Amino acid sequence: MGEFVRVETADGVATIRLDRPKMNALNRQVQLEIAECARQVDAADDVYAVVVYGGKVFAAGADIKEMAAMSYADMAVHSRVLQDCFTAVARIGKPVVAAVTGYALGGGCELALCADVRIAGESAKLGQPEILLGIIPGAGGTQRLPRLVGPARAKDLIFTGRHVSAAEALGIGLVDRVVPDDDVYTEALAYAARFVGGPALALRAAKQAVDRGLETDLDTGLEIERLQFSGLFATDDAGIGMRAFSERSTATFTGR
């Protein structure tokens, strides 16, 4: 458990909770703590799904004061650490839900992009305002955002640095569901709970197939899918699932 980021686990769902008042600014320490929590929940056998949550504010972005003191040489080194920390969240081999409240700007938006599903509150604001500082997104925004909303919409958000409302974010596919502000975390937990007791190996394989496939051409993506699909026939869960289907019973998966 870090100073500003901690893992809370209950009933098979882990919450990576950011708690750096007032705006959850993502300084180097927070970034490293996020990565450590991501590795922890990925390895935990009792965790089936993960929620990333920041309380009243998801994360308002990087710590500008910390960044402003960095030289090119400093950032050339730190930018790799920054990307690796966020990628650790994207590589969690379990369903990950971002519960977006308040602001998800800059690095906060990039952190939300690392989730599989984004549930936002009605008053949430999202965006990549780095251009207004004379820089560009550096934690995956120029890569993950266009993969999610398309290059034209991503360029609009990155070029202008404007904030988008939850309603607009839903319309362009930046978030997947909008709910009342007070219900965001509850809804995220409820969605994550759907995977508790599920076929963990198949979920991991599905996530890897989709994510890796998006990084390559169709033929290579299909080969990734084929290998993941075939490999699951070596698992106990596949046998359990297919027997349960044949017997018209409910499968009890073991994660093996």
Side-chain angles (χ1 to χ4, degrees):
M1 183 178 296
E3 180 180 0
F4 299 120
V5 187
R6 63 184 182 272
V7 174
E8 302 169 351
T9 303
D11 301 322
V13 175
T15 297
I16 297 177
R17 186 181 291 268
L18 281 63
D19 187 15
R20 188 187 181 213
K22 297 179 179 178
M23 304 296 282
N24 284 331
L26 302 168
N27 68 355
R28 179 186 177 92
Q29 181 179 342
V30 172
Q31 295 161 23
L32 292 171
E33 290 181 7
I34 288 171
E36 179 56 34
C37 288
R39 289 188 285 267
Q40 178 184 331
V41 299
D42 188 39
D45 291 337
D46 61 338
V47 171
Y48 289 86
V50 179
V51 174
V52 182
Y53 180 56
K56 291 184 178 180
V57 175
F58 184 74
D63 190 321
I64 305 303
K65 292 182 179 179
E66 182 182 70
M67 286 202 308
M70 292 186 179
S71 65
Y72 162 74
D74 295 332
M75 189 53 78
V77 174
H78 177 64
S79 57
R80 186 174 299 279
V81 175
L82 169 63
Q83 287 193 351
D84 288 348
C85 289
F86 279 55
T87 297
V89 177
R91 294 283 167 83
I92 295 171
K94 301 164 184 181
V96 177
V97 186
V100 180
T101 49
Y103 294 103
L105 303 173
C109 187
E110 289 169 306
L111 178 59
L113 290 172
C114 293
D116 302 302
V117 174
R118 282 153 292 279
I119 298 175
E122 291 173 333
S123 65
K125 301 288 185 183
L126 300 92
Q128 300 286 173
E130 290 88 348
I131 202 77
L132 304 178
L133 302 175
I135 57 175
I136 66 172
T142 67
Q143 301 304 305
R144 292 191 176 98
L145 185 59
R147 284 170 167 80
L148 185 65
V149 304
R153 285 171 172 158
K155 287 176 182 176
D156 169 50
L157 297 182
I158 293 169
F159 289 177
T160 65
R162 67 187 182 88
H163 300 178
V164 299
S165 66
E168 182 179 356
L170 180 63
I172 65 175
L174 178 53
V175 302
D176 303 286
R177 189 182 307 172
V178 175
V179 300
D181 292 338
D182 292 341
D183 296 341
V184 173
Y185 184 54
T186 302
E187 289 287 331
L189 286 176
Y191 182 86
R194 299 171 62 181
F195 305 104
V196 175
L201 295 175
L203 285 166
R204 183 180 292 267
K207 181 168 180 173
Q208 290 178 350
V210 172
D211 289 349
R212 295 299 191 185
L214 286 171
E215 298 168 1
T216 187
D217 60 271
L218 178 59
D219 285 345
T220 304
L222 288 169
E223 181 65 5
I224 292 170
E225 178 186 89
R226 186 185 69 81
L227 293 172
Q228 292 281 12
F229 171 70
S230 301
L232 289 169
F233 281 76
T235 68
D236 292 344
D237 277 356
I240 290 169
M242 285 184 274
R243 280 196 302 274
F245 177 83
S246 298
E247 297 167 359
R248 300 180 184 276
S249 60
T250 300
T252 302
F253 295 107
T254 65
R256 294 191 295 272

